[in-house]
Amino acid sequence: MISLPQFPDARRLTNSQIGTFRTCQRKEFYGYVLGVRPQYAGSALRFGTNVHHGIEMRAIGHSAEEAVLAAMKQYDNPPGNMRHDEALMEREIVGVMLTAYFWYWERPDSVPHALYVAENIAAEEQFELKIKGSRYVYAGKIDGIVRLGDGRTAIRETKTSSDDITPTGDYVRRLLIDNQISGYIVAARKHRQIDTVLYDIIKKPTMKPYKATPVEKRKYTKDGTLYANLRDRDETPEEFGVRLMADITENPADYYQRYEIPRLDHDLEAWEKEMRDAAKQIQVARKQGYMARNTNCCLDGYRCQYLDVCHSGIVVGGDVPPGFRQTTCAHEELS
Ligand code: SF4
């Protein structure tokens, strides 16, 4: 049964929680107040988490090979919504993406100094920042603090994305106003000097493994062999991995981009003001006990994970709907 939980970390607000609240108050209520979440992470989140794991392992001092293997090991016990063959293929893709990532970015003679990580100072650094005028703290985890090749200290934020990550794409344009970057600079500067932000993006491959040609569409030559452009079996993970690695090494900038994202003092002041406003709005919503639905967002970009149950399926004191689970804290990603 769901009762209204009093999570021990309820006074923390994270960037994604605030973003969710701004998108749809009801969605934020389900996920962060009731703690009702989908049983399994979506494929994009799972892929990103496992890639992150490999990069974190490297940042804390493991060899590139150990870091790649650690990330691939995450697929030893795939989640219940993932078939064994899917897990093997994704495991291979994660392994190839990380192997090529370390190769591409760890070349001091080829990578521009301002984008080269000369030293990992800290990894997965957690912070809390009091939000003035509210009972909340802004909380999060910075992927890394690094020393760049030109000697400056930077926040490293690594993301995986399916979007266009090239310099003229909207993904990069949005980074100029990204809330998370501003918040992380303000938080990190409470403890150390931060000169800039190194935004590190890994593009998820769009290449797909070849599938076997359906039997009814197969054609054979006179000597009984299959036409060269047809297949009698699916491509194996290893074969796909070789093809993917060849494409990455030929076009690495399609897969890996790093940007230095500037922030001026007035950007950070604006962020602090926006944060205070968001905290106030959340405080008011909690007091009123009513979290409004924003149905414009149910299908905006992607299908909301609560769409099947939003009408009546999640109520205080009701059962956890099938396909969901109840968390024991608001922010599982933070310790
Ligand atoms: S289904 Fe729509 S209204 Fe309901 S939580 Fe999701 S976005 Fe909000």
Side-chain angles (χ1 to χ4, degrees), residues 23-40:
T23 303
C24 174
Q25 294 186 14
R26 186 64 65 98
K27 189 174 177 180
E28 191 265 349
F29 176 70
Y30 292 154
Y32 293 92
V33 179
L34 292 183
V36 175
R37 306 260 174 92
Q39 197 168 357
Y40 300 113

Side-chain angles (χ1 to χ4, degrees), residues 203-218:
K203 166 111 185 201
K204 205 173 168 192
T206 50
M207 272 174 67
K208 299 282 178 227
Y210 294 137
K211 291 282 175 203
T213 309
V215 175
E216 66 280 8
K217 292 190 176 163
R218 291 182 195 172

